[in-house]
Amino acid sequence: MIGALPLAAIPPEDEALRPEIRAFLRETVADIPPERRARSWMGFDPEFSRGLAARGWLGLTFPREYGGAGRGPFARYVLVEELLAAGAPVSAHWIADRQSGPLIQRFGTEAQRRFYLPRICRAEAFFCIGMSEPNTGSDLASVATRAVRDGDGWRLNGAKIWTTNAQHSHYMIALVRTSGTAADRHGGLSQILVDLHAPGVRIGPIRDLAGDAHFSEVVFEDVLLPADALIGEEGSGWAQVNAELAFERSGPERVLSSAVLLDEWARWLRKASEAGNASEAAEALLGRLLAHLAVLRAMSVAVTGRLVAGESPVVEAALVKDLGTEFEQLIPVVVADILARPGPTPPGPLMRTLAYTAAMAPSFSLRGGTREILRGMIARGMGLR
């Protein structure tokens, strides 16, 4: 049963990171047009990621012996919040730093930790995640991609789809079937680490409405992998994936996808007010959105507090993601509605930022689990299913 979510606060030593991060972002991001910064999640810029790595900001939570900073989840929370609020291009290192690295740290062998984690911290190893498959949607239990024993290693066949940045990544951690059939649902699933430059791997980018190609279909045809490609225990893939998704669903990224649009609109309202063209309706709407954001942020920080305490708040993280994506999708709708009313002509950068965010908003509730999947989890957490 889902329980209370006690309020938590970011410790002062982690809050102390903000000034240095903001100074770095003023130097590197402030001059990028807002319609480009709105692509923050999808902004692939290895050089920017290497800049973060040079300051020790990749692998903040990884142990020092593996190249990390040995900080806690709240330090990374501060970093992510500042990066996304500024619209920084985080996509290159995003998956490795947030999910793949922590997964390897928790379930990998010592050899895997010593090989991959330092490379992630140096922005030398970018990862993608192979979960969804053609014709199965978000039903991960229907995974049909299969890895079978072949000598001392594995032979991999199948396909993954909607894989973010596969064409730019060095490695994929794929959820595959190593025994049984799709009828076994969660049984027989394992996680396999795939070198995306291995023979037999074919990657086809998928272009989106904005003309970008962030997603790919990845096909595996008799891909031979070494024995140590297996992460964790064979057959434990489902439990490991759920632990990984808790990292994905609970952070500030679940409320900040429309942050650049909200910030640009607020900036324009401020200028309009200073020029004597204040709109009472627009200012009231901005106040409601900021109040909504403050509550969601408090919930997100509280879930992080549970992670810090060593818990696995899977249901609470699903609740934050569901409510957070609703908020993110609401922003372009209400901003477009109020900008359509009679009044001063909005500036071009604001309108282009609105156009991009509105086009991408439907995808906010797809990544990291669809709304239907999340609400099923919440219902089970409440004892309703």
Side-chain angles (χ1 to χ4, degrees), residues 2-354:
I2 189 170
L5 192 56
L7 290 175
I10 298 175
E13 62 270 25
D14 296 322
E15 284 286 359
L17 285 168
R18 289 192 196 276
E20 187 180 359
I21 297 169
R22 288 179 178 178
F24 173 74
L25 293 172
R26 281 194 296 274
E27 293 177 3
T28 55
V29 174
D31 292 336
I32 300 175
E35 61 267 32
R36 295 297 306 172
R37 289 189 287 110
R39 288 165 163 79
S40 182
W41 270 58
M42 297 300 182
F44 194 94
D45 185 344
E47 190 61 33
F48 179 81
S49 297
R50 284 192 281 272
L52 294 178
R55 287 159 178 78
W57 293 340
L58 293 192
L60 264 181
T61 61
F62 299 175
R64 292 183 181 276
E65 62 189 291
Y66 303 121
R71 302 287 296 261
F74 277 126
R76 187 175 182 280
Y77 192 102
V78 169
L79 174 67
V80 169
E81 192 170 47
E82 293 298 329
L83 293 176
L84 296 185
V90 299
S91 189
H93 66 269
W94 188 253
I95 299 296
D97 183 70
R98 182 180 69 174
Q99 289 172 248
S100 305
L103 181 84
I104 292 169
Q105 181 186 333
R106 181 171 177 181
F107 297 108
T109 64
E110 183 61 18
Q112 288 170 332
R113 295 187 194 108
R114 293 198 176 279
F115 182 84
Y116 293 106
L117 297 187
R119 287 168 171 78
I120 291 173
C121 294
R122 296 194 299 264
E124 295 174 354
F126 300 142
F127 280 68
C128 61
I129 299 172
M131 290 194 188
S132 297
E133 297 192 356
N135 305 316
T136 62
S138 294
D139 183 8
L140 296 182
S142 298
V143 161
T145 296
R146 182 175 291 272
V148 298
R149 295 281 186 182
D150 188 307
D152 292 335
W154 301 87
R155 181 180 294 270
L156 179 65
N157 281 285
K160 296 292 180 180
I161 199 167
W162 308 122
T163 305
T164 303
N165 285 329
Q167 71 272 36
H168 300 304
S169 298
H170 303 96
Y171 303 101
M172 170 191 285
I173 294 180
L175 182 68
V176 305
R177 188 162 294 285
T178 49
S179 64
T181 68
D184 295 317
R185 303 293 290 169
H186 303 153
L189 297 177
S190 302
Q191 285 186 295
I192 293 284
L193 203 156
V194 183
D195 181 342
L196 292 175
H197 296 97
V201 177
R202 189 173 73 251
I203 302 174
I206 301 171
R207 202 159 293 280
D208 63 25
L209 286 172
D212 299 326
H214 307 298
F215 302 107
S216 298
E217 180 176 17
V218 185
V219 177
F220 309 108
E221 293 178 344
D222 288 326
V223 179
L224 296 178
L225 301 170
D228 63 0
L230 178 70
I231 296 181
E233 294 183 18
E234 184 177 350
S236 296
W238 183 251
Q240 293 176 195
V241 161
N242 275 284
E244 182 181 357
L245 286 174
F247 293 115
E248 182 178 359
R249 290 172 175 159
S250 58
E253 57 267 41
R254 291 310 173 190
V255 298
L256 292 176
S257 296
S258 299
V260 174
L261 171 61
L262 186 61
D263 190 48
E264 280 299 301
W265 178 55
R267 191 193 312 274
W268 183 62
L269 288 181
R270 194 178 303 116
K271 289 182 178 178
S273 178
E274 291 169 355
N277 295 317
S279 163
E280 187 174 333
E283 291 177 349
L285 173 60
L286 177 60
R288 286 200 298 275
L289 291 176
L290 293 180
H292 196 165
L293 176 60
V295 173
L296 288 170
R297 181 180 186 271
M299 294 176 66
S300 176
V301 171
V303 171
T304 302
R306 300 280 295 272
L307 291 171
V308 171
E311 301 175 28
S312 183
V314 174
V315 177
E316 292 84 352
L319 186 64
V320 170
K321 181 183 182 298
D322 187 39
L323 294 173
T325 50
E326 266 194 355
F327 173 71
E328 294 174 330
Q329 291 173 331
L330 173 69
I331 290 173
V333 173
V334 296
V335 170
D337 178 65
I338 206 152
L339 288 178
R341 299 182 186 183
T345 302
L350 171 58
M351 295 306 291
R352 290 193 289 274
T353 305
L354 171 61

